Amino acid sequence: MSLKRGGPPPVASSGTGVMTTNLDQHQQKIPTVAAGYGENEKPGKGGKGGQPKFIRSDMADVPVQQAAGSTLPLVITRKKGGDDSEDGNYNPFEHRKVEHPTSDLETFVHLLKGSLGSGILAMPMAFSHAGLWFGLVATFLVGTLCTYCVHILVKCAHILCRRRKIPMMGFADVAEQAFLDGPPSLNRWSRFIRFMVNTFLVIDLLGCCCIYLVFVATNVEQVVRVYMETELSIRVWIMIVTAPLIFMCLVRNLKFLTPFSMIANILMFVGIVITFIYMFSDLPAPAERPGIVSVTEWPLFFGTVIFALEGIGVVMSLENDMKNPTHFIGCPSVLNLGMGLVIALYTLVGFFGFLKYGPETQASITLNLPLEDKLAQSVKLMIAIAIFFTFTLQFYVPVSILWKGLEHKIRPERQNISEYAMRVGLVLLCGGIAVALPNLGPFISLIGAVCLSTLGMIVPAVIELAVYHEDPGFGRFKWRLWKNSGLILFGVVGFVAGTYVSIIEFHAEFSGGH
């Protein structure tokens, strides 16, 4: 993503594009619930053979039911295996019912919209916490790692779809089914992993909304300060920006927000192009910038880059809508080409942005543009308006996830007022958090470290371990186990270090030492 984050609704790492989320739209007939055992398994106490395996049936035909601690419907299990072609008689892609499937080119464009956004403006700041040359190499490595983790997630989704005869899955569906399909010790945690994935998605997206408020308020405040003698604090501007969003976020139909998305995309594109013109003018020599900085600053680099690049929340939605889903991963593939372009652009902006402004680089490259220049002022306002409109699209996804979990608990006659109250409450919550934490840089790093290192690295690695644990296993010398353990360790270190350094930055600000 980026200050972020896709079909109906958006999701991002970041971007002004609308990202899709898979929400259950219809209820269908419920099949008979049953538990089964493998061919060589007998019920009994202890051991693997005594554990019945509950798995989900066709998601398109069965509503969610709760049983055995899971939100998935139950059907008789079949022999497990790690090869996604194990059931030659079932092709999940032939059973998908997509009203308007997307071509490879359309999916490529959606991937760019979901990944390219305001987060690209934070890349020079990321390089300032890494150094010019170390940032160049590390951005490519982290971007490649993020892309590989997306491959893991989509590959495991394909395996589980074939294995369990399910046409398509969302991110949370893949995680839950992987735990149901994994070792018996993981089965009881299947409902928890689904809850965790959805929770981190909601935190990530609401965190992005908070960052949007800070971003818009900061850029508007810079421009208005030129023409006003009386200065208002950034916290006051955040409250001013939040007020109209309370009413805009009451719109429940996504199609009414589409024109705002188009305006946001145009303004963002024009603003970034003009920013590039400023950035590439009068560049100093690379020798004037540090090639590598202190290791204590690296966690801020890691969190910011993960925030900017990670778009794992949208990939399953894009893959599920494709006319040819097998073209999404592989080599070459839509994912490789799209993420390759994204990584190259992010690295380009980070490298030359830091080269241009050096130690004066701010959290958004737009804040470095000259205040007295009318064109620069227009860029700040254009991008601020684009991010302002993107807030409503970004807000759609967490609201949909939360309301889906609450709707059935509320009486029908009170559902409308309850949903509106939830929307207003969430906007006010975002505004309150933004007012309390108006420092854009540590905020970006904190969201990237907490949410996206978990969703983008740790969860996909755990999913692959669960899917491959029995057949074909972890491979020679258990290389899959070692590889995924390394990914989990890298994600945990990024989570802990990024969170710690971001909190230290916030503490320094509140104590007056920033």
Side-chain angles (χ1 to χ4, degrees), residues 21-60:
T21 184
N22 291 316
L23 303 177
D24 293 332
Q25 302 292 336
H26 308 287
Q27 288 198 350
Q28 309 289 343
K29 295 181 179 179
I30 305 175
T32 303
V33 173
Y37 302 88
E39 295 175 1
N40 301 320
E41 297 174 346
K42 301 291 183 181
K45 296 181 179 180
K48 198 170 184 178
Q51 296 290 339
K53 293 291 184 182
F54 298 102
I55 61 174
R56 66 183 302 158
S57 63
D58 189 322
M59 287 170 51

Side-chain angles (χ1 to χ4, degrees), residues 191-212:
R191 189 178 179 188
F192 171 78
I193 190 65
R194 182 186 187 90
F195 171 79
M196 192 189 79
V197 168
N198 282 329
T199 299
F200 274 98
L201 282 174
V202 169
I203 294 174
D204 171 33
L205 296 170
L206 289 180
C208 291
C209 290
C210 298
I211 292 172
Y212 286 174

Side-chain angles (χ1 to χ4, degrees), residues 229-243:
E229 295 182 1
T230 304
E231 292 188 12
L232 299 177
S233 73
I234 188 63
R235 289 181 167 89
V236 174
W237 278 108
I238 291 173
M239 290 187 284
I240 293 174
V241 170
T242 302

Side-chain angles (χ1 to χ4, degrees), residues 239-259:
M239 290 187 284
I240 293 174
V241 170
T242 302
L245 287 172
I246 294 175
F247 300 97
M248 293 182 66
C249 288
L250 295 178
V251 178
R252 296 187 292 183
N253 195 327
L254 194 63
K255 73 176 182 179
F256 295 126
L257 300 176
T258 302

Side-chain angles (χ1 to χ4, degrees), residues 163 178-179 181-183 186 461-470 474:
R163 186 182 292 173
F179 272 47
D181 204 58
L186 291 182
V462 172
I463 287 174
E464 187 177 43
L465 288 176
V467 170
Y468 280 82
H469 87 284
E470 186 174 281
F474 297 142

Side-chain angles (χ1 to χ4, degrees), residues 108-402:
F108 178 81
V109 172
H110 288 319
L111 180 61
L112 292 182
K113 287 179 65 180
S115 301
L116 281 176
S118 49
I120 195 173
L121 304 174
M123 285 304 299
M125 180 195 68
F127 270 64
S128 71
H129 294 298
L132 193 64
W133 299 111
F134 178 73
L136 181 69
V137 175
T139 301
F140 271 110
L141 292 178
V142 174
T144 301
L145 197 60
C146 291
T147 305
Y148 177 69
C149 289
V150 173
H151 272 272
I152 291 176
L153 178 66
V154 178
K155 177 69 173 178
C156 289
H158 289 177
I159 292 174
L160 292 171
C161 284
R162 291 184 183 275
R163 186 182 292 173
R164 302 311 179 195
K165 295 188 175 181
I166 305 170
M168 63 178 69
M169 295 185 186
F171 193 172
D173 301 319
V174 175
E176 183 174 11
Q177 182 60 67
F179 272 47
L180 288 172
D181 204 58
S185 58
L186 291 182
N187 297 163
R188 69 183 65 184
W189 298 99
S190 60
R191 189 178 179 188
F192 171 78
I193 190 65
R194 182 186 187 90
F195 171 79
M196 192 189 79
V197 168
N198 282 329
T199 299
F200 274 98
L201 282 174
V202 169
I203 294 174
D204 171 33
L205 296 170
L206 289 180
C208 291
C209 290
C210 298
I211 292 172
Y212 286 174
L213 292 176
V214 177
F215 181 92
V216 173
T218 304
N219 280 271
V220 172
E221 186 269 341
Q222 268 200 348
V223 175
V224 174
R225 191 199 316 158
V226 177
Y227 301 97
M228 285 183 61
E229 295 182 1
T230 304
E231 292 188 12
L232 299 177
S233 73
I234 188 63
R235 289 181 167 89
V236 174
W237 278 108
I238 291 173
M239 290 187 284
I240 293 174
V241 170
T242 302
L245 287 172
I246 294 175
F247 300 97
M248 293 182 66
C249 288
L250 295 178
V251 178
R252 296 187 292 183
N253 195 327
L254 194 63
K255 73 176 182 179
F256 295 126
L257 300 176
T258 302
F260 296 107
S261 174
M262 295 176 62
I263 295 172
N265 288 334
I266 294 172
L267 292 176
M268 178 63 76
F269 176 77
V270 174
I272 289 179
V273 169
I274 299 176
T275 301
F276 281 4
I277 295 174
Y278 280 99
M279 189 173 64
F280 286 111
S281 62
D282 300 323
L283 287 172
E288 298 182 24
R289 304 292 180 238
I292 186 170
V293 301
S294 171
V295 68
T296 58
E297 295 190 50
W298 291 2
L300 287 174
F301 166 80
F302 172 82
T304 304
V305 172
I306 288 290
F307 176 87
L309 286 173
E310 189 58 76
I312 200 164
V314 68
V315 292
M316 291 309 304
S317 298
L318 295 178
E319 189 271 346
N320 286 339
D321 286 339
M322 286 187 70
K323 183 183 299 183
N324 299 300
T326 54
H327 294 176
F328 190 75
I329 58 174
C331 188
S333 65
V334 172
L335 177 64
N336 286 345
L337 294 176
M339 288 304 297
L341 180 58
V342 168
I343 294 169
L345 288 175
Y346 274 54
T347 305
L348 184 73
V349 173
F351 183 88
F352 286 101
F354 180 55
L355 178 61
K356 170 73 174 179
Y357 297 107
E360 298 179 358
T361 302
Q362 298 197 43
S364 170
I365 193 68
T366 58
L367 301 178
N368 284 106
L369 301 183
L371 285 175
E372 67 283 355
D373 195 317
K374 300 291 184 183
L375 183 60
Q377 293 173 10
S378 68
V379 171
K380 296 174 189 285
L381 293 178
M382 279 191 293
I383 295 181
I385 293 171
I387 299 300
F388 179 84
F389 286 151
T390 303
F391 182 99
T392 57
L393 301 169
Q394 188 83 347
F395 187 75
Y396 187 96
V397 180
V399 166
S400 299
I401 294 174
L402 291 173

